[in-house]
Amino acid sequence: MSAPTGPRFSYGTNGLADHRLGDALRLLADLGYEGVALTLDHQHLDPYAPGLAARVDEVRRALDATGLAVVVETGARYLLDPRRKHRPTLLSAEPEGRELRLDLLRRAVGIGAELGAGAVHFWSGTPDPDTTREQAWQRLVDGCAETVGHAEAAGIDLAFEPEPGMLVADLAGYRRLLADLGRPDRFRLTLDIGHCRCLEPYPVADCVALAADRLAHVQIEDMRRGTHEHLPFGEGEIDFPPVLGALADAGYRGLVSVELPRHSHAGAETARHSIAFLREAAARHASRDTRPQQEPLKEAVPA
């Protein structure tokens, strides 16, 4: 079988939080997606609920049945602390908090290996108020080094994401972290296309070229300069055909995952609109067509 030559579009389950996981996988396959970005959360493959091994096996069988590739994501908002969003982190002042995050990452690596995932995705988090940047950075390096060890043992790539507002916010921060870790091969990158528009000093397509040597996963959505808000395609400022062209030119063959975590209330329609938009953008790049793309998504389902 020949290797894929174009983008492999995927969709994040954090944008289908109102769907059962099995229903979400079937929906994505029926729409023509080739993969899923699976966020481990209370409603979708909770890594702390009883019977994990059996549930992972069930998801593996569902992935096989639908033909979907998978990356595993660890960005659930309240999985570790019901009161504090995205806490604790690898930067947390309390050692027990950092251990909770490390435990989640260990579980994610194990689940990812069982599912045959292309990568396990994570990010740095933000420092606690009384933590210096130097302290936070050392905690991050230590936590990433430990997680790299688990990934190497499991034979799976990590896909670290720079996230606006976090300790590692941009590609330069990722490069510094990679260097401080000794450039382990398994410590790779999630490039979020919207984040490139939000804060990187380069055009979005140039960010793809700058990141190409480390890419393990790509997230994609629309966004505006200076505002970290994930928008449906057509509602932001990104010109997508050149971006998809840059991914093709870079030889990237991993998943390109739509990330719209605030649109679960209209998840099915948003997923349908997203793949139609991305296919049109890819076709426009192939034909070098510069006509405007379709209108922004008009949500038919109230939040």
Side-chain angles (χ1 to χ4, degrees), residues 190-202:
T190 289
L191 181 70
D192 189 297
I193 298 302
H195 296 173
C196 294
R197 177 58 186 161
C198 178
L199 54 64
E200 293 287 352
Y202 316 104

Side-chain angles (χ1 to χ4, degrees), residues 24 26 47 71 108 123-124 141 143 164 185 194 209 212 229 237 243 251 267 278 281:
R26 287 187 292 274
V71 295
W123 34 243
S124 65
V141 171
D185 187 59
E229 181 182 3
E237 300 170 340
V243 173
L278 290 170

Side-chain angles (χ1 to χ4, degrees), residues 175-190:
R175 293 289 182 180
R176 178 190 168 195
L177 180 58
L178 177 67
D180 284 2
L181 289 167
R183 297 186 59 85
D185 187 59
R186 291 287 183 187
F187 190 77
R188 305 192 73 81
L189 174 69
T190 289

Side-chain angles (χ1 to χ4, degrees), residues 28-78:
L28 296 179
D30 289 347
L31 289 172
Y33 285 95
E34 295 185 63
V36 60
L38 172 57
T39 298
L40 304 180
D41 208 345
H42 62 90
Q43 77 279 49
H44 290 156
L45 196 53
D46 186 341
Y48 295 102
L52 179 61
R55 290 184 291 109
V56 170
D57 183 64
E58 181 181 359
V59 173
R60 173 71 273 175
R61 286 186 277 110
L63 291 169
D64 289 343
T66 55
L68 295 172
V70 64
V71 295
V72 170
E73 300 202 358
T74 59
R77 291 185 176 99
Y78 292 102

Side-chain angles (χ1 to χ4, degrees), residues 19-303:
H19 285 70
R20 298 180 184 89
L21 182 55
D23 291 342
L25 297 180
R26 287 187 292 274
L27 169 69
L28 296 179
D30 289 347
L31 289 172
Y33 285 95
E34 295 185 63
V36 60
L38 172 57
T39 298
L40 304 180
D41 208 345
H42 62 90
Q43 77 279 49
H44 290 156
L45 196 53
D46 186 341
Y48 295 102
L52 179 61
R55 290 184 291 109
V56 170
D57 183 64
E58 181 181 359
V59 173
R60 173 71 273 175
R61 286 186 277 110
L63 291 169
D64 289 343
T66 55
L68 295 172
V70 64
V71 295
V72 170
E73 300 202 358
T74 59
R77 291 185 176 99
Y78 292 102
L79 183 64
L80 298 182
D81 188 329
R83 294 174 177 82
R84 299 184 301 163
K85 178 182 174 182
H86 293 321
R87 299 269 179 176
T89 74
L90 294 178
L91 317 181
S92 293
E94 307 85 1
E96 58 272 21
R98 298 196 297 275
E99 179 53 38
L100 273 176
R101 178 61 59 173
L102 284 167
D103 179 65
L104 173 60
L105 294 175
R106 284 193 295 269
R107 290 170 185 254
V109 165
I111 291 168
E114 290 293 326
L115 294 179
V120 172
H121 160 279
F122 71 116
W123 34 243
S124 65
T126 56
D128 292 341
D130 295 329
T131 298
T132 67
R133 288 189 66 84
E134 292 75 16
Q135 289 171 326
W137 189 263
Q138 190 58 55
R139 290 169 187 164
L140 178 61
V141 171
D142 291 346
C144 287
E146 182 173 333
T147 305
V148 166
H150 293 299
E152 289 174 342
I156 191 168
D157 285 343
L158 302 174
F160 185 92
E161 182 191 7
E163 181 85 20
M166 292 192 178
L167 183 66
V168 178
D170 55 19
L171 289 172
Y174 167 78
R175 293 289 182 180
R176 178 190 168 195
L177 180 58
L178 177 67
D180 284 2
L181 289 167
R183 297 186 59 85
D185 187 59
R186 291 287 183 187
F187 190 77
R188 305 192 73 81
L189 174 69
T190 289
L191 181 70
D192 189 297
I193 298 302
H195 296 173
C196 294
R197 177 58 186 161
C198 178
L199 54 64
E200 293 287 352
Y202 316 104
V204 178
D206 289 356
C207 290
V208 173
L210 290 167
D213 63 316
R214 303 301 301 179
L215 278 183
H217 184 215
V218 172
Q219 292 176 330
I220 195 165
E221 67 285 313
D222 219 338
M223 204 168 286
R224 300 188 183 101
R225 187 71 177 171
T227 303
H228 184 203
E229 181 182 3
H230 290 234
L231 299 173
F233 298 108
E235 294 188 11
E237 300 170 340
I238 299 174
D239 184 16
F240 286 96
V243 173
L244 297 177
L247 288 168
D249 292 345
Y252 177 69
R253 298 294 179 259
L255 295 181
V256 179
S257 300
V258 178
E259 189 186 22
L260 292 170
R262 298 184 180 180
H263 287 76
S264 289
H265 64 281
E269 176 59 17
T270 305
R272 184 205 62 76
H273 169 268
S274 296
I275 195 166
F277 186 100
L278 290 170
R279 283 171 168 166
E280 182 184 347
R284 285 175 58 212
H285 169 74
S287 65
R288 304 304 193 272
D289 183 354
T290 59
R291 291 174 297 177
Q293 285 182 260
Q294 54 187 285
E295 292 298 314
L297 171 66
K298 305 300 184 184
E299 293 182 4
V301 181

